[in-house]
Amino acid sequence: MFKKIFKNMNQESTENIEKENINEENVSETQGIPTPELSVEEQLQEELSNEKDKFLRLFAEFENYKRRTAKERIDLFKTANQEVLQAMLPVLDDFDRAWAQVSKSDDEALVTGVQLIHDKLRSTLVSKGLEEVEVRAGDAFNADFAEAITQIPAPNDKLKGKIVDVIEKGYKLGDKIIRFPKVVIGQ
């Protein structure tokens, strides 16, 4: 029995030694293969191609940076303009109410003068991108474009669920609504 175990151990150790010898030969063969040295010209070509790659990446990064900052600048101008226009809306509302009263006057010079100022104010705000949100009595109510202040009994069946009156005008700047119209809805 001991002989059999001893024989198996000898056989295993012999196999392990043979495997180690084969591995050593493979390692020495790969070590024996000289890696080709790059010539000075090839090294310079490789360095040049690396520098070109770095340059192209840096240039692309800079172009992306320019586009991003230009977009941010435009957005900044829009928001700055929006704040000024929102601050002017109460003045425009007051002017509209005043115009409604002045237009009833018999003094032609007064009416003409106020009308010129009113038109000039409106045209200046429109030139800056301000637009009135078109909502009228009788239109279907859409919560995306108007703010319901209250509901009242509808004067007739046609106005149920529709706008009965517009309390305050709404305005938008470009595609963005900066003040929703305030409306009364019939129920």
Side-chain angles (χ1 to χ4, degrees), residues 28-170:
S28 65
E29 287 176 8
T30 56
Q31 288 175 348
I33 299 174
T35 55
E37 291 282 328
L38 295 177
S39 68
V40 174
E41 187 176 309
E42 290 171 338
Q43 287 177 349
L44 290 175
Q45 286 288 5
E46 188 176 316
E47 288 177 17
L48 178 63
S49 67
N50 288 340
E51 292 301 319
K52 280 183 181 178
D53 186 51
K54 286 180 186 177
F55 172 74
L56 289 175
R57 290 177 190 275
L58 184 63
F59 184 75
E61 183 74 26
F62 182 68
E63 287 297 318
N64 290 337
Y65 169 76
K66 283 185 355 185
R67 277 189 226 112
R68 187 173 52 246
T69 55
K71 184 177 183 258
E72 289 172 357
R73 176 182 263 168
I74 289 170
D75 290 343
L76 179 65
F77 286 133
K78 284 182 181 177
T79 58
N81 197 18
Q82 177 181 339
E83 291 174 12
V84 171
L85 291 176
Q86 280 179 320
M88 290 296 295
L89 291 180
V91 175
L92 184 60
D93 291 338
D94 291 343
F95 208 113
D96 286 341
R97 285 189 284 275
W99 170 244
Q101 295 303 314
V102 170
S103 64
K104 296 176 186 174
S105 173
D106 292 335
D107 188 359
E108 237 175 269
L110 175 67
V111 171
T112 304
V114 173
Q115 182 180 12
L116 287 173
I117 296 169
H118 184 258
D119 292 345
K120 189 172 189 177
L121 176 64
R122 279 203 168 275
S123 65
T124 301
L125 294 176
V126 167
S127 72
K128 299 300 178 187
L130 187 70
E131 297 177 44
E132 188 175 323
V133 175
E134 296 293 326
V135 176
R136 294 188 179 98
D139 290 348
F141 175 71
N142 184 348
D144 292 335
F145 299 108
E147 179 182 342
I149 299 289
T150 187
Q151 291 183 350
I152 63 169
N156 58 42
D157 289 340
K158 288 183 178 181
L159 290 178
K160 284 189 177 181
K162 294 189 177 187
I163 297 172
V164 175
D165 191 20
V166 178
I167 303 297
E168 187 177 70
K169 293 179 183 178

